[in-house]
Structure formats: C-alpha cells, structure tokens
Amino acid sequence: MQQNAPESSLIGEEYEVEVGPVAHGGHCIARTEEGRVLFVRHALPGEKVVARVTEGEETSRFLRADAVTILDPSKDRVEAPCPFAGPGKCGGCDWQHAKPGAQRRLKGEVIAEQLLRLAGLTPEEAGWDGTVMPAEGDKLPPGEVPQWRTRVQYAVDAEGNAGLRKHRSHEVENIDHCMIAAQGVSELGIEKRNWEGMASIEAIAASGSGDRQVILTPRPGARLPLVELDKPVSVMRVDEKDGGVHRVHGRAFVRERADERTYRVGSGGFWQVHPKAAQTLMLAVMQGLTPRKGETALDLYCGVGLFAGALADRVGDQGAVLGIESGKRAVEDARHNLAAFPRVRIEQGKVESVLPRTGITEVDLIVLDPPRAGAGKQTVHHLAGLGARRIAYVACDPAALARDLAYFADRGYKVRTLRAFDLFPMTHHVECVAILEPVKKDA
C-alpha cells in the first residue's frame, strides 16, 4: 500500500514518456528523460503517454507504471470494452485497449524477441511464419469480446462481495460481470450474491458438457454457506487443514471433450481454459509428430491424459504410451479416462524423478506440456538422450520455451516448426507448439 512506502518510494510519480516496444508480461518499455526504465501497462508501442509509477523506488532497477493519460494514441488503440479494465482496476486483462489483430501482433513480437534473446533463433530458423492464430470463433466485430474463460477464480472481499484481483495486488475489484467469462460461468450469477466467510470461489463451466462446478475456499474458521445459484452446479470445498478439495454435493468432476473422447477432470485437475484449446493443441501436436503404428511415446506432465489418449489411438495395439503426472487426482482421472487402452501406463510423480526410474533408454515420440517455468536443463538433457525422432513441446510461456529450446539445441535437437495460438484473448498469455527433431549428422 502506498502509505507504507519507504521514503525513497517513487509510487505516484508521473512521467511523460514515449512508449517503446512490447515486453513479456503485458506491458511496454519506456524510459524517462533521466534514463529510468519503466514497464508501462495500458500503453501501446509508439504512443506518448503520462505514466504514473505503481511500484518502485529510487534504487530500483526498473519501475512499474500505468499509462493514465494518452497524449498521442496508437492507431491500434480502442476504448476498452470492459468497464473494469484500466489503470488501478482488474488485473485479469492486459490488452483490452488494443484491437484484436494488434493483440496478436504484440504476442508475436514477444515470442520473436524471446526466441532470439534466449535461444538465438529467428522466426525462420524456428520454422515459424510469425503469426499468432486466433481460435475458431474468436474473430468478432469491434467492441465484442470472446467469452472464452471456462474457469474463473473470484476473490472475495471482507464484505463478502465476489470480484477479481487488481494487478499485482491482493485488493479485490468488485465487478458485476466478467466479459471474458464463458457463458456457462456467467449464468451462475456468482457476482450477484454475498459470499461472507469465503476467501475465493473458482467457477468452472465445462465446454465438453453442461457440467458446472464451484470450488469454495473458506476463510479460517468460517462455515460453508448454502450455495444457491442461478443454474444447477456441483459444489466442492478446499479443506483448511490439508488443502485438499472435497465434495460437498454433486459430481466431483466435470466432463470435457477432445479428439472424439470424453475426459473426466476432477477438482484441481488441469484442462485448457479456452473451449477450443484442447482440440486445437491436440491437433497441432499430432500433425507435428505424425505418429505411426507400433511406435512408443512419452506424454510428460500429462494431466488427465489428453495427449496420451490421442497418441494411443494413433500408435495402435502394437504401440505403447507412458504418461507421467505429479498430481494425484489428475493421475486417477487419466487412468480412468484411458482405461480402454491397455497400451497406456500412467505414473505419478515429478517428471525429473519418475523418468529416470522407468529404465526407458529409447523412445520414438515425446510430448511435453510443462508448467509455466518450463522443463529445465536436467529434464531436457535426459529427453534428448532418448533418441526420439520427434518431440512436441507445448508451452504457455515463450520465455520458458526459448530457454528449453536452447537446452535441446545443446543436445542435438533443432526446431522443425513452431505454431502460436491466441488462446487467452485480451491477456498477454499465448500458447505455442514447437516440433523438434534431431539434427542430421553429416555422413
């Protein structure tokens, strides 16, 4: 909070600046006349703005700021469709003030910058045409926003009002509607009722079925409220003592669809948030790998088994697939989802611990979809030693992807193709699929 800021704090200081290039994280870079670096949100490259400092002090390497006055707007600027987007408001969306095509261009520039800086790759060297593709159905008229977010994490303030967190803050921005929430989430009416005693509410509306679920996290010592929402919904609660998720009533899972198969996803299990994301990424991975009958494959960080199921279908009865996942509930779901495939085995544990214990020394195909931090050098080097003819790397963070691609290059793997998908419209997040293959050695 500003009142607790040290004497050297620059919070609240304003600078008139020319906005430079976009940077990873939903902001642009600018410099003050004195040479201070500002990370400016709510701005666009090329604009002249008044930037107000939100974080930083005299000794900081850089300052964070919001563009509070636009003196010379970009042609890509639009009025933010959402009334809760803007300086000091909800932190969920980074690019509400940019045209959809401009948002995708900005994401493409971030990917290109990270690839060059961290992996030494140009787009051409990565087999990428530089475009970020919108999901099917997301091209909408100006002023309309894709309702894509099938999972929304609401924070609850001291009075019991549900809202969304402000940027880099625990403060709650009270809202009456989230524009990017999927229709199934909005129809629950969570913002309309009081949630006294709750710390947060996660709302889930499965895109592969009509299943809806809310996961309640009570404040310490609080009793669970009677949940009466506008649509039928199952209710789960997060246990105060062990942090586990327990069923209150209804199903303990939701049902999703991809690759003509239904997947059970329990509370805490991972599933892509955009309704089209699972199918889009599955197809990109399978098209890149071109699995053949009888091949062996690894699906690492496999979640509830999306890629393992697609691989099992394609390698046939003579093939084999091993999935590794750390989440206990996700492993249970994956085993349930893929029970019809005796050629699929799912192991629980961290990839870096389980993979060496399997004794696997060679494999034909690898899929890895690691968390935001990436797979890391140790795991990448282990994978490169398995001799896979192709590796599919699914990444939600271009910096982590670029770092890991550099590690793969050190071990003789090059990028064959890279594709980027805008599966998080209005935010700075972007999903990439890189296909790698071993470098051919000269005879």
Side-chain angles (χ1 to χ4, degrees):
M1 298 291 287
Q2 189 169 341
Q3 59 262 36
N4 297 325
E7 286 185 18
S8 60
S9 171
L10 293 175
I11 293 173
E13 290 291 316
E14 294 187 352
Y15 299 93
E16 187 176 307
V17 293
E18 299 272 357
V19 180
V22 65
H24 184 30
H27 51 256
C28 297
I29 296 174
R31 288 183 184 271
T32 67
E33 288 182 357
E34 301 81 29
R36 288 185 181 278
V37 175
L38 298 180
F39 288 171
V40 187
R41 279 172 60 82
H42 312 291
L44 292 171
E47 292 186 326
K48 182 184 284 187
V49 306
V50 175
R52 181 182 298 151
V53 176
T54 56
E55 285 182 50
E57 47 195 78
E58 291 282 357
T59 56
S60 298
R61 205 161 47 87
F62 60 84
L63 307 175
R64 296 186 184 274
D66 284 340
V68 292
T69 305
I70 312 303
L71 303 174
D72 185 8
S74 163
K75 61 179 176 55
D76 290 324
R77 177 172 285 277
V78 294
E79 178 110 14
C82 177
F84 307 108
K89 298 181 181 179
C90 171
C93 291
D94 307 292
W95 299 120
Q96 287 258 355
H97 58 286
K99 293 176 182 176
Q103 294 181 33
R104 292 191 287 274
R105 279 201 312 279
L106 293 170
K107 295 181 188 193
E109 289 171 17
V110 168
I111 296 168
E113 191 268 337
Q114 297 295 311
L115 285 174
L116 189 60
R117 186 168 65 87
L118 298 174
L121 293 172
T122 64
E124 293 76 20
E125 289 167 334
W128 176 45
D129 64 5
T131 62
V132 176
M133 297 297 296
E136 179 188 340
D138 276 359
K139 281 193 170 182
L140 296 171
E144 290 191 32
V145 173
Q147 297 174 317
W148 60 270
R149 196 164 190 94
T150 60
R151 293 174 176 238
V152 177
Q153 183 83 34
Y154 294 91
V156 180
D157 68 14
E159 285 74 47
N161 302 307
L164 299 171
R165 298 272 185 207
K166 297 182 179 182
H167 182 61
R168 293 175 62 83
S169 171
H170 292 294
E171 287 187 55
V172 179
E173 174 76 14
N174 294 136
I175 64 170
D176 56 26
H177 174 62
C178 174
M179 290 189 75
I180 64 172
Q183 184 177 348
V185 170
S186 297
E187 288 175 349
L188 291 174
I190 283 172
E191 302 95 332
K192 295 190 296 188
R193 64 156 293 167
N194 188 272
W195 297 93
E196 186 178 353
M198 297 300 101
S200 67
I201 306 142
E202 183 177 7
I204 301 166
S207 54
S209 66
D211 296 346
R212 293 179 175 90
Q213 186 179 81
V214 294
I215 304 172
L216 305 179
T217 303
R219 296 184 187 277
R223 297 184 61 184
L224 211 63
L226 180 65
V227 178
E228 293 179 338
L229 294 171
D230 294 348
K231 294 286 181 180
V233 64
S234 62
V235 178
M236 310 288 290
R237 70 166 289 164
V238 176
D239 189 89
E240 185 182 327
K241 294 183 180 138
D242 63 13
V245 182
H246 304 286
R247 186 175 70 89
V248 178
H249 70 75
R251 284 196 185 96
F253 57 87
V254 296
R255 294 163 296 175
E256 297 284 5
R257 291 279 296 173
D259 202 27
E260 300 181 354
R261 181 176 295 106
T262 297
Y263 287 85
R264 185 181 84 180
V265 185
S267 304
F270 174 77
W271 191 261
Q272 290 285 343
V273 178
H274 193 293
K276 303 289 185 182
Q279 184 71 12
T280 298
L281 296 173
M282 183 278 301
L283 285 175
V285 167
M286 294 304 123
Q287 288 164 0
L289 291 180
T290 61
R292 303 164 187 163
K293 297 295 183 186
E295 288 193 311
T296 56
L298 293 176
D299 180 10
L300 308 179
Y301 318 93
C302 70
V304 300
L306 170 66
F307 298 119
L311 286 164
D313 257 348
R314 290 156 177 82
V315 300
D317 292 339
Q318 302 307 308
V321 181
L322 171 66
I324 301 177
E325 165 61 37
S326 62
K328 184 179 177 183
R329 179 59 201 261
V331 167
E332 291 173 3
D333 287 337
R335 288 171 177 165
H336 169 87
N337 294 332
L338 305 176
F341 295 114
R343 56 191 174 275
V344 175
R345 190 168 97 248
I346 307 294
E347 297 287 349
Q348 186 194 344
K350 294 189 174 180
V351 168
E352 61 269 27
S353 303
V354 174
L355 189 56
R357 293 203 306 263
T358 63
I360 292 172
T361 57
E362 57 182 0
V363 70
D364 296 307
L365 302 171
I366 298 171
V367 180
L368 64 157
D369 185 2
R372 192 167 300 281
K377 183 188 277 191
Q378 177 187 340
T379 297
V380 165
H381 286 183
H382 188 132
L383 296 178
L386 299 179
R389 69 171 180 85
R390 283 197 185 164
I391 298 172
Y393 190 128
V394 183
C396 60
D397 185 281
L401 171 64
R403 282 192 297 270
D404 284 347
L405 290 183
Y407 299 143
F408 272 115
D410 290 342
R411 286 295 193 267
Y413 273 81
K414 66 176 182 180
V415 187
R416 175 187 172 89
T417 61
L418 187 143
R419 298 170 70 185
F421 302 95
D422 188 17
L423 302 178
F424 308 90
M426 303 291 155
T427 79
H428 75 271
H429 299 290
V430 62
E431 202 84 20
C432 296
V433 176
I435 305 297
L436 295 90
E437 61 184 9
V439 176
K440 288 187 172 64
K441 294 182 172 64
D442 294 331

